[in-house]
């Protein structure tokens, strides 16, 4: 039916049904055409504005923190280089490791103090550098200036720092492996030490002083928090978060706090965590008048939508909901589902055309299903017939070889095994056989081959007793056994075959797992590629090998997309088949 035919059909239905209510007269075009899209745009734009303001604020804080971190890392690395150079190569410093006269100590300390002063001048984030010689009970230090405390407070802090450094060194509690946090006299410090025998070079960063520097030099109007692992050093801010939760911010940010809100970002300076908590007054305080007007309009539009929606519910929403439910039922396979008739002309037209379309689809689907079923059945029979001659020819060729050698007794035994094998092949009348039958013919075939070729084959068969009578395509496992025998022999090595059938139980279903493996040379990569693609293998001479391809095709026809196969090399060739198992399914 073409477009003009559909239009004529719609016109015919319209004349038969008479005048009905028009949907265009019931739905306010202005509301649906302008207000609802406008409300959505306003809401989306408002959300975008709020998010953008918040993200912009966090990015600004992070940029400030990254600049501060860069300078702090530079200070720490530069200080470590100075300390390392002094410890390893400064003779004046190293001489303090032995007892000296007082005059000698003052004379030799001049060069050391100049080095300390130079590093302090270059790194304002560093508070002090000191040298301590326990053997001479001698301590000297150089200091950068304080910003927020008085002279008397500074002297007191320096005395407390000197006493604590001596105590830590003398008691062996000073960690010389890295920078570490330590609280001295109510102030928090970051300490680093290196030594040459019994003389120590100490560097100190005052964390309270760093917060002041951050405000004055880096224009950071929040608070710096320092940490290592779960250890946090920061003022008593009411962030409402445990140290571990603060450390999880990573590349993102947090807005937290109790009485006062803070925007929190973090970064890593080596193994030290830097956290910047800036006071956060809310989104509205950072928006301009235009942004606020847009948000108010969005709120008003959103509030208006439900009132009009109630009026439209019976005339529009209910029919659409019923149509949607009908489509879902049809998607689930219920082609008998149809749409009811409503009072709105447009819905009647859609419903009538929809019901007519479903009826036509139902008829076409039945015809297509029958055709596909016939096609698959024909293809299955063709594939099965392709497998049988492959086995006949191999067996007859082996018997012919023994006859030429005059091995009459072996021929008798071979014919007994072959008759059993042919009886199995010629009596196959169904698409499936019990697993037990297939396993027996696999064992019979390996015995047959051993007699024909005088090559001993070790076949190990294990299977779950519950799976004894499960249905599988005939001659399927035998194909893999034959392939392993044909390609698996290695000179001077006994061929070992493993055939295992088991179940894999998952939360959703149970799978049958069949494994056929050998200890031969394994697959060539080109063969694995062909098998993985389920393609017919072609050797270097252009000859096609259809055995494994046919087996995979038969399993695929039986189980569809629920069938899977894997082929790889693991101490030889390894075939693995997976397909669903239904409990109680037997032949």
């Amino acid at each position: 039916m073409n477009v003009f035919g559909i239009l004529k059909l719609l016109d015919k239905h319209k004349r038969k049904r008479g005048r009905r209510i028009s949907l265009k007269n019931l739905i306010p075009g202005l509301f649906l055409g302008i207000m609802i899209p406008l409300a959505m745009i306003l809401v989306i734009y408002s959300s975008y504005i709020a998010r953008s303001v918040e993200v912009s604020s966090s990015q600004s804080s992070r940029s400030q923190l990254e600049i501060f971190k860069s300078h702090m890392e530079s200070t720490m690395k530069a200080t470590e280089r100075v300390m390392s150079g002094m410890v390893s190569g400064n003779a004046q410093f190293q001489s303090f490791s032995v007892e000296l006269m007082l005059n000698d100590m003052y004379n030799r300390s001049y060069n050391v103090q100049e080095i300390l002063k130079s590093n302090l001048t270059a790194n304002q984030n560093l508070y002090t550098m000191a040298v301590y010689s326990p053997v001479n009970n001698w301590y000297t230090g150089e200091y950068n200036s304080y910003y927020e405390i008085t002279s008397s407070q500074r002297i007191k802090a320096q005395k407390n720092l000197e006493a604590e450094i001596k105590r830590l060194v003398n008691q062996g509690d000073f960690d010389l492996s890295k920078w570490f946090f330590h609280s001295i006299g109510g102030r928090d410090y970051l300490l680093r030490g290196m030594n040459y025998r019994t003389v120590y070079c100490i560097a100190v960063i005052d964390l309270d002083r760093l917060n002041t520097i951050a405000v004055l030099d880096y224009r950071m109007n929040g608070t710096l928090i320092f940490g290592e692992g779960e250890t946090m050093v920061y003022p008593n801010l009411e962030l409402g978060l445990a140290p571990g939760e603060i450390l999880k911010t990573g590349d993102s940010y947090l807005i937290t706090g109790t009485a006062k809100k803070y925007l929190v970002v973090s970064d890593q300076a080596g193994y030290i965590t830097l956290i910047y908590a800036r006071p956060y007054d809310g989104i509205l305080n950072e928006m301009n008048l235009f942004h606020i007007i847009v948000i108010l309009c969005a709120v008003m539009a959103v509030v208006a939508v439900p009132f009009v929606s109630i009026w439209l519910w019976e005339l529009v929403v209910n029919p659409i909901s019923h149509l949607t439910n009908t489509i879902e039922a049809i998607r689930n396979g219920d082609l008998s589902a149809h749409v009811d008739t409503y009072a709105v002309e447009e819905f009647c037209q859609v419903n009538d055309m929809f019901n007519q379309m479903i009826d036509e689809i139902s008829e076409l689907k039945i015809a297509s299903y029958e055709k596909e079923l016939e096609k698959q059945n024909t293809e299955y029979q063709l594939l099965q017939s392709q497998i049988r001659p492959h086995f006949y020819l191999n067996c007859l060729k082996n018997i012919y070889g023994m006859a030429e050698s005059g091995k009459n007794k072996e021929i008798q035994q071979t014919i007994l095994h072959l008759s059993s094998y042919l009886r199995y092949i010629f009596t196959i009348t169904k698409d499936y056989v019990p697993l037990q039958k297939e396993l027996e013919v696999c064992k019979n075939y390996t015995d047959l081959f051993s007699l024909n070729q005088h090559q001993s084959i070790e076949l190990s068969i294990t299977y779950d007793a519950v799976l004894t009578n499960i249905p599988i395509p005939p001659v399927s496992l035998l194909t893999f056994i034959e392939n392993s025998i044909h390609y698996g022999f290695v000179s001077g090595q006994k061929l070992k075959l493993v055939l295992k059938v088991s179940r894999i139980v998952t939360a959703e279903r149970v799978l049958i797992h069949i494994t056929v493996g050998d200890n031969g040379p394994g697959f060539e990569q080109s063969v694995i590629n062909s098998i993985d693609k389920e393609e017919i293998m072609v050797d270097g001479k252009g000859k096609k090998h259809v055995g494994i391809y046919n087996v995979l095709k038969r399993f695929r026809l039986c189980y569809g997309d629920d069938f899977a196969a894997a082929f790889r090399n693991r101490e030889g060739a390894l075939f693995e088949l997976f397909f669903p198992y239904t409990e109680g399914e037997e032949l």
Side-chain angles (χ1 to χ4, degrees), residues 5-69:
I6 294 175
L7 293 176
K8 290 180 180 179
L9 181 61
L10 293 177
D11 185 61
K12 180 179 179 181
H13 277 277
K14 183 175 182 181
R15 289 197 301 269
K16 285 184 177 181
R17 297 178 183 277
R19 184 175 179 78
R20 295 181 183 273
I21 300 173
S22 175
L23 186 62
K24 292 181 289 186
N25 296 328
L26 296 175
I27 299 179
L30 181 62
F31 180 83
L32 294 178
I34 299 177
M35 289 301 298
I36 293 180
L38 179 60
M40 294 176 61
I41 292 173
L42 292 174
V43 169
I44 294 172
Y45 184 64
S46 299
S47 300
Y48 171 77
I49 290 173
R51 178 65 177 171
S52 297
V53 170
E54 189 173 284
V55 170
S56 177
S57 181
S58 69
Q59 289 176 345
S60 176
S61 296
R62 183 170 296 281
S63 296
Q64 291 178 307
L65 183 61
E66 286 176 352
I67 294 173
F68 179 84
K69 180 200 76 169

Coordinates of all heavy atoms in Angstrom, one line a residue, residues 5-69:
G5 N -2.7 5.4 -1.1 CA -3.6 4.4 -0.6 C -3.9 4.6 0.9 O -5.1 4.5 1.3
I6 N -2.9 4.9 1.7 CA -3.1 5.1 3.1 C -4.0 6.3 3.4 O -4.9 6.3 4.2 CB -1.8 5.3 3.8 CG1 -1.0 4.0 3.8 CG2 -2.0 5.7 5.3 CD1 0.4 4.1 4.3
L7 N -3.7 7.4 2.6 CA -4.6 8.6 2.8 C -6.0 8.3 2.4 O -6.9 8.8 3.1 CB -4.0 9.7 1.9 CG -2.6 10.3 2.3 CD1 -2.1 11.3 1.3 CD2 -2.7 10.9 3.7
K8 N -6.2 7.6 1.3 CA -7.6 7.2 1.0 C -8.3 6.4 2.0 O -9.5 6.6 2.4 CB -7.6 6.5 -0.4 CG -7.2 7.3 -1.6 CD -7.3 6.5 -2.8 CE -6.9 7.4 -4.0 NZ -6.9 6.6 -5.3
L9 N -7.5 5.5 2.6 CA -8.1 4.6 3.7 C -8.5 5.5 4.9 O -9.5 5.3 5.5 CB -7.1 3.5 4.1 CG -7.5 2.6 5.2 CD1 -8.7 1.8 4.7 CD2 -6.4 1.6 5.5
L10 N -7.6 6.4 5.3 CA -7.9 7.3 6.4 C -9.1 8.1 6.1 O -10.0 8.3 7.0 CB -6.7 8.2 6.7 CG -5.4 7.5 7.2 CD1 -4.3 8.5 7.4 CD2 -5.7 6.8 8.5
D11 N -9.3 8.6 4.9 CA -10.4 9.4 4.6 C -11.7 8.6 4.6 O -12.8 9.1 5.0 CB -10.2 10.0 3.2 CG -11.4 11.0 2.8 OD1 -11.5 12.0 3.5 OD2 -12.1 10.7 1.8
K12 N -11.6 7.3 4.2 CA -12.7 6.4 4.2 C -13.2 6.2 5.6 O -14.4 6.2 6.0 CB -12.4 5.1 3.5 CG -13.5 4.1 3.5 CD -13.0 2.9 2.7 CE -14.2 1.8 2.7 NZ -13.7 0.6 2.0
H13 N -12.2 6.0 6.5 CA -12.6 5.7 8.0 C -13.2 7.0 8.5 O -14.1 6.9 9.4 CB -11.3 5.4 8.7 CG -10.9 3.9 8.6 ND1 -11.5 3.0 9.4 CD2 -10.1 3.3 7.8 CE1 -11.0 1.8 9.1 NE2 -10.1 2.0 8.1
K14 N -12.8 8.1 8.1 CA -13.3 9.4 8.7 C -14.8 9.6 8.3 O -15.6 10.0 9.1 CB -12.4 10.5 8.2 CG -12.9 11.9 8.8 CD -11.9 13.0 8.3 CE -12.3 14.3 9.0 NZ -11.4 15.4 8.5
R15 N -15.1 9.2 7.0 CA -16.5 9.4 6.5 C -17.4 8.4 7.2 O -18.5 8.7 7.6 CB -16.5 9.2 5.0 CG -15.9 10.3 4.2 CD -16.3 10.2 2.8 NE -16.0 9.0 2.2 CZ -14.8 8.8 1.5 NH1 -13.9 9.8 1.4 NH2 -14.5 7.6 1.0
K16 N -16.9 7.2 7.5 CA -17.7 6.2 8.1 C -18.0 6.5 9.6 O -19.1 6.3 10.1 CB -17.0 4.8 8.1 CG -17.1 4.2 6.7 CD -16.5 2.8 6.7 CE -16.6 2.1 5.4 NZ -16.0 0.7 5.4
R17 N -17.0 7.0 10.3 CA -17.2 7.2 11.8 C -17.9 8.6 12.1 O -18.2 8.8 13.2 CB -15.8 7.2 12.4 CG -15.1 5.8 12.3 CD -13.8 5.8 12.9 NE -13.1 4.5 12.7 CZ -13.3 3.4 13.4 NH1 -14.1 3.5 14.4 NH2 -12.7 2.3 13.1
G18 N -18.0 9.5 11.1 CA -18.7 10.7 11.4 C -17.7 11.7 12.1 O -16.5 11.5 12.2
R19 N -18.3 12.7 12.6 CA -17.5 13.8 13.3 C -17.1 13.4 14.7 O -17.9 12.9 15.5 CB -18.3 15.1 13.3 CG -17.5 16.2 13.9 CD -18.3 17.5 13.8 NE -17.6 18.6 14.4 CZ -16.6 19.3 13.8 NH1 -16.3 18.9 12.5 NH2 -16.0 20.3 14.3
R20 N -15.8 13.6 15.0 CA -15.3 13.3 16.3 C -14.5 14.5 16.8 O -14.3 15.5 16.1 CB -14.3 12.1 16.3 CG -15.0 10.8 15.9 CD -14.0 9.6 15.9 NE -14.6 8.4 15.5 CZ -15.2 7.5 16.3 NH1 -15.3 7.8 17.6 NH2 -15.7 6.4 15.9
I21 N -14.2 14.4 18.1 CA -13.5 15.5 18.7 C -12.1 15.6 18.2 O -11.4 14.6 18.1 CB -13.4 15.4 20.3 CG1 -14.9 15.3 20.8 CG2 -12.7 16.5 20.9 CD1 -14.9 15.0 22.3
S22 N -11.6 16.8 17.8 CA -10.3 17.0 17.2 C -9.3 17.2 18.4 O -9.5 18.0 19.3 CB -10.3 18.2 16.3 OG -8.9 18.4 15.8
L23 N -8.2 16.5 18.3 CA -7.1 16.7 19.3 C -6.5 18.1 19.2 O -6.1 18.7 20.3 CB -6.0 15.7 19.0 CG -4.9 15.6 20.0 CD1 -5.4 15.2 21.4 CD2 -3.8 14.7 19.6
K24 N -6.5 18.7 18.0 CA -6.0 20.1 17.9 C -6.8 21.1 18.7 O -6.3 22.2 19.0 CB -5.9 20.5 16.5 CG -4.8 19.7 15.7 CD -4.7 20.1 14.3 CE -6.0 19.7 13.5 NZ -5.8 20.0 12.0
N25 N -8.1 20.8 18.9 CA -9.0 21.7 19.6 C -8.9 21.5 21.1 O -9.5 22.3 21.9 CB -10.5 21.6 19.2 CG -10.6 22.0 17.7 OD1 -9.9 22.8 17.2 ND2 -11.6 21.3 17.1
L26 N -8.3 20.5 21.6 CA -8.3 20.1 23.0 C -6.9 20.5 23.7 O -6.9 20.8 24.9 CB -8.5 18.6 23.2 CG -9.9 18.1 22.8 CD1 -10.0 16.6 22.9 CD2 -11.0 18.8 23.6
I27 N -5.9 20.4 22.9 CA -4.6 20.6 23.5 C -4.1 22.1 23.3 O -4.0 22.5 22.1 CB -3.5 19.7 23.0 CG1 -3.9 18.2 23.2 CG2 -2.1 20.0 23.5 CD1 -3.0 17.2 22.7
P28 N -3.9 22.9 24.3 CA -3.4 24.3 24.1 C -2.0 24.2 23.4 O -1.0 23.8 23.9 CB -3.3 24.8 25.5 CG -4.1 23.9 26.4 CD -4.0 22.6 25.7
G29 N -2.1 24.7 22.1 CA -0.8 24.6 21.3 C 0.2 25.5 21.9 O 1.4 25.2 21.9
L30 N -0.2 26.6 22.5 CA 0.8 27.5 23.1 C 1.5 26.9 24.2 O 2.8 27.0 24.4 CB 0.1 28.8 23.6 CG 1.1 29.9 24.2 CD1 2.1 30.3 23.2 CD2 0.3 31.0 24.7
F31 N 0.8 26.1 25.1 CA 1.4 25.5 26.3 C 2.4 24.4 25.8 O 3.5 24.3 26.3 CB 0.3 24.9 27.2 CG 0.9 24.3 28.4 CD1 1.3 25.0 29.5 CD2 1.1 22.9 28.4 CE1 1.8 24.4 30.6 CE2 1.6 22.3 29.6 CZ 1.9 23.0 30.7
L32 N 1.9 23.5 24.9 CA 2.7 22.4 24.5 C 3.8 22.8 23.6 O 4.9 22.2 23.7 CB 1.8 21.3 23.8 CG 0.8 20.6 24.7 CD1 0.0 19.6 23.9 CD2 1.5 19.9 25.9
G33 N 3.6 23.8 22.8 CA 4.6 24.2 21.8 C 5.6 25.1 22.3 O 6.7 25.2 21.8
I34 N 5.3 25.9 23.4 CA 6.2 26.9 23.9 C 6.6 26.7 25.4 O 7.7 26.6 25.7 CB 5.7 28.3 23.7 CG1 5.5 28.6 22.2 CG2 6.6 29.4 24.3 CD1 4.8 29.9 21.9
M35 N 5.5 26.6 26.2 CA 5.8 26.6 27.6 C 6.6 25.4 28.1 O 7.5 25.5 28.9 CB 4.4 26.7 28.4 CG 3.8 28.0 28.3 SD 4.8 29.4 28.9 CE 5.0 28.9 30.6
I36 N 6.2 24.2 27.6 CA 6.8 23.0 28.1 C 8.3 22.9 27.6 O 9.2 22.7 28.4 CB 6.1 21.7 27.7 CG1 4.7 21.7 28.5 CG2 6.9 20.4 28.0 CD1 3.9 20.4 28.1
P37 N 8.6 23.2 26.3 CA 10.0 23.2 25.9 C 10.7 24.3 26.6 O 11.9 24.1 27.0 CB 9.9 23.5 24.4 CG 8.6 23.0 24.0 CD 7.7 23.2 25.2
L38 N 10.1 25.5 26.8 CA 10.7 26.6 27.5 C 11.1 26.2 28.9 O 12.2 26.5 29.4 CB 9.9 27.8 27.5 CG 10.4 29.1 28.2 CD1 11.8 29.5 27.5 CD2 9.4 30.2 28.1
A39 N 10.1 25.6 29.6 CA 10.4 25.1 31.0 C 11.5 24.2 31.1 O 12.4 24.3 32.0 CB 9.1 24.5 31.6
M40 N 11.6 23.2 30.1 CA 12.7 22.3 30.1 C 14.0 23.0 29.9 O 15.0 22.7 30.5 CB 12.4 21.2 29.0 CG 11.2 20.3 29.3 SD 10.9 19.2 28.0 CE 12.4 18.2 27.9
I41 N 14.0 23.9 28.9 CA 15.2 24.6 28.6 C 15.7 25.4 29.8 O 16.9 25.4 30.2 CB 15.0 25.5 27.4 CG1 14.8 24.7 26.1 CG2 16.2 26.5 27.2 CD1 14.5 25.5 24.9
L42 N 14.7 26.1 30.5 CA 15.1 26.9 31.7 C 15.6 26.0 32.8 O 16.6 26.3 33.5 CB 13.9 27.7 32.1 CG 13.4 28.8 31.2 CD1 12.1 29.4 31.7 CD2 14.5 29.9 31.1
V43 N 15.0 24.8 33.0 CA 15.4 23.9 34.1 C 16.8 23.4 33.8 O 17.7 23.4 34.6 CB 14.4 22.8 34.2 CG1 15.0 21.7 35.1 CG2 13.1 23.3 34.8
I44 N 17.0 23.0 32.5 CA 18.4 22.5 32.1 C 19.4 23.6 32.2 O 20.5 23.4 32.8 CB 18.3 21.9 30.7 CG1 17.4 20.7 30.7 CG2 19.7 21.6 30.2 CD1 17.1 20.2 29.3
Y45 N 19.0 24.8 31.8 CA 20.0 25.9 31.8 C 20.3 26.3 33.3 O 21.4 26.6 33.6 CB 19.4 27.1 31.0 CG 20.4 28.2 30.9 CD1 21.6 28.1 30.3 CD2 20.1 29.4 31.5 CE1 22.5 29.1 30.2 CE2 21.0 30.5 31.5 CZ 22.2 30.3 30.8 OH 23.1 31.4 30.7
S46 N 19.3 26.2 34.1 CA 19.5 26.6 35.5 C 20.4 25.5 36.2 O 21.3 25.9 37.0 CB 18.1 26.6 36.3 OG 17.3 27.6 35.7
S47 N 20.2 24.3 35.9 CA 21.1 23.2 36.4 C 22.5 23.4 35.9 O 23.5 23.2 36.6 CB 20.6 21.8 36.0 OG 19.3 21.6 36.5
Y48 N 22.6 23.8 34.6 CA 23.9 24.0 34.1 C 24.6 25.2 34.7 O 25.8 25.1 35.0 CB 23.8 24.3 32.6 CG 25.0 24.7 31.9 CD1 26.1 23.8 31.6 CD2 25.2 26.1 31.6 CE1 27.2 24.2 31.0 CE2 26.4 26.5 31.0 CZ 27.4 25.6 30.7 OH 28.6 26.0 30.1
I49 N 23.8 26.2 35.0 CA 24.4 27.4 35.6 C 24.9 27.0 37.0 O 26.0 27.4 37.4 CB 23.4 28.6 35.7 CG1 23.1 29.1 34.3 CG2 23.9 29.7 36.7 CD1 22.0 30.1 34.3
A50 N 24.1 26.3 37.8 CA 24.4 26.0 39.2 C 25.7 25.1 39.2 O 26.6 25.3 39.9 CB 23.3 25.3 39.9
R51 N 25.7 24.1 38.3 CA 26.8 23.2 38.2 C 28.1 24.0 37.7 O 29.2 23.8 38.3 CB 26.5 22.1 37.2 CG 27.7 21.1 37.0 CD 28.0 20.4 38.2 NE 29.0 19.4 38.0 CZ 29.6 18.7 38.9 NH1 29.3 18.9 40.2 NH2 30.6 17.8 38.6
S52 N 27.9 24.9 36.7 CA 29.1 25.6 36.2 C 29.7 26.5 37.3 O 30.9 26.6 37.4 CB 28.7 26.4 35.0 OG 28.2 25.6 34.0
V53 N 28.8 27.2 38.1 CA 29.3 28.0 39.1 C 30.1 27.2 40.1 O 31.2 27.6 40.6 CB 28.2 28.8 39.8 CG1 28.6 29.5 41.0 CG2 27.6 29.8 38.8
E54 N 29.5 26.1 40.5 CA 30.2 25.3 41.5 C 31.5 24.7 41.0 O 32.5 24.7 41.7 CB 29.2 24.1 41.9 CG 29.7 23.3 43.1 CD 28.6 22.3 43.5 OE1 27.6 22.7 44.1 OE2 28.8 21.1 43.2
V55 N 31.5 24.2 39.8 CA 32.7 23.7 39.2 C 33.8 24.7 39.0 O 35.0 24.5 39.3 CB 32.4 23.0 37.8 CG1 33.7 22.6 37.1 CG2 31.6 21.7 38.0
S56 N 33.3 25.9 38.5 CA 34.3 27.0 38.4 C 34.9 27.4 39.7 O 36.1 27.7 39.8 CB 33.6 28.2 37.8 OG 34.4 29.3 37.7
S57 N 34.1 27.4 40.7 CA 34.7 27.8 42.1 C 35.7 26.7 42.5 O 36.7 27.0 43.0 CB 33.5 27.9 43.1 OG 34.0 28.2 44.3
S58 N 35.3 25.4 42.3 CA 36.3 24.4 42.7 C 37.6 24.4 41.8 O 38.7 24.2 42.3 CB 35.6 23.0 42.5 OG 35.4 22.7 41.2
Q59 N 37.4 24.7 40.5 CA 38.6 24.8 39.7 C 39.5 25.9 40.1 O 40.8 25.8 40.1 CB 38.2 25.0 38.2 CG 37.6 23.7 37.6 CD 37.1 24.0 36.2 OE1 36.9 25.1 35.8 NE2 36.8 22.9 35.5
S60 N 38.9 27.1 40.5 CA 39.7 28.2 41.0 C 40.5 27.8 42.3 O 41.7 28.1 42.4 CB 38.8 29.4 41.3 OG 39.5 30.4 41.9
S61 N 39.8 27.1 43.2 CA 40.5 26.6 44.4 C 41.6 25.6 44.1 O 42.7 25.7 44.7 CB 39.5 26.0 45.4 OG 38.5 26.9 45.8
R62 N 41.3 24.7 43.1 CA 42.3 23.7 42.8 C 43.5 24.4 42.1 O 44.7 24.0 42.4 CB 41.7 22.7 41.9 CG 42.7 21.6 41.5 CD 42.0 20.4 40.8 NE 41.0 19.8 41.6 CZ 41.3 18.9 42.6 NH1 42.5 18.6 42.8 NH2 40.3 18.4 43.3
S63 N 43.3 25.4 41.3 CA 44.4 26.1 40.7 C 45.3 26.7 41.7 O 46.6 26.7 41.6 CB 43.9 27.1 39.7 OG 43.2 26.5 38.6
Q64 N 44.7 27.4 42.7 CA 45.5 28.0 43.8 C 46.3 26.9 44.6 O 47.4 27.1 44.9 CB 44.5 28.7 44.8 CG 43.9 30.0 44.2 CD 43.0 30.6 45.2 OE1 42.0 30.0 45.7 NE2 43.2 31.9 45.4
L65 N 45.6 25.8 44.8 CA 46.3 24.7 45.6 C 47.4 24.1 44.8 O 48.5 23.8 45.3 CB 45.3 23.6 45.9 CG 45.8 22.4 46.7 CD1 46.3 22.9 48.1 CD2 44.7 21.4 46.9
E66 N 47.3 24.0 43.4 CA 48.3 23.4 42.6 C 49.5 24.3 42.6 O 50.7 23.9 42.6 CB 47.8 23.2 41.2 CG 46.9 22.0 41.1 CD 46.3 21.8 39.7 OE1 46.5 22.7 38.9 OE2 45.6 20.8 39.5
I67 N 49.3 25.7 42.5 CA 50.4 26.6 42.5 C 51.2 26.5 43.9 O 52.4 26.4 43.9 CB 49.9 28.0 42.3 CG1 49.3 28.2 40.9 CG2 51.0 29.0 42.6 CD1 48.7 29.5 40.7
F68 N 50.4 26.4 45.0 CA 51.0 26.3 46.3 C 51.8 25.0 46.4 O 52.9 24.9 46.9 CB 50.0 26.4 47.4 CG 50.5 26.3 48.8 CD1 51.1 27.4 49.4 CD2 50.6 25.1 49.4 CE1 51.6 27.3 50.7 CE2 51.1 24.9 50.7 CZ 51.6 26.0 51.3
K69 N 51.2 23.9 45.9 CA 51.8 22.6 46.0 C 53.1 22.6 45.2 O 54.1 22.0 45.6 CB 50.9 21.5 45.4 CG 51.4 20.1 45.4 CD 50.8 19.2 44.4 CE 51.2 19.5 43.0 NZ 50.8 18.4 42.1

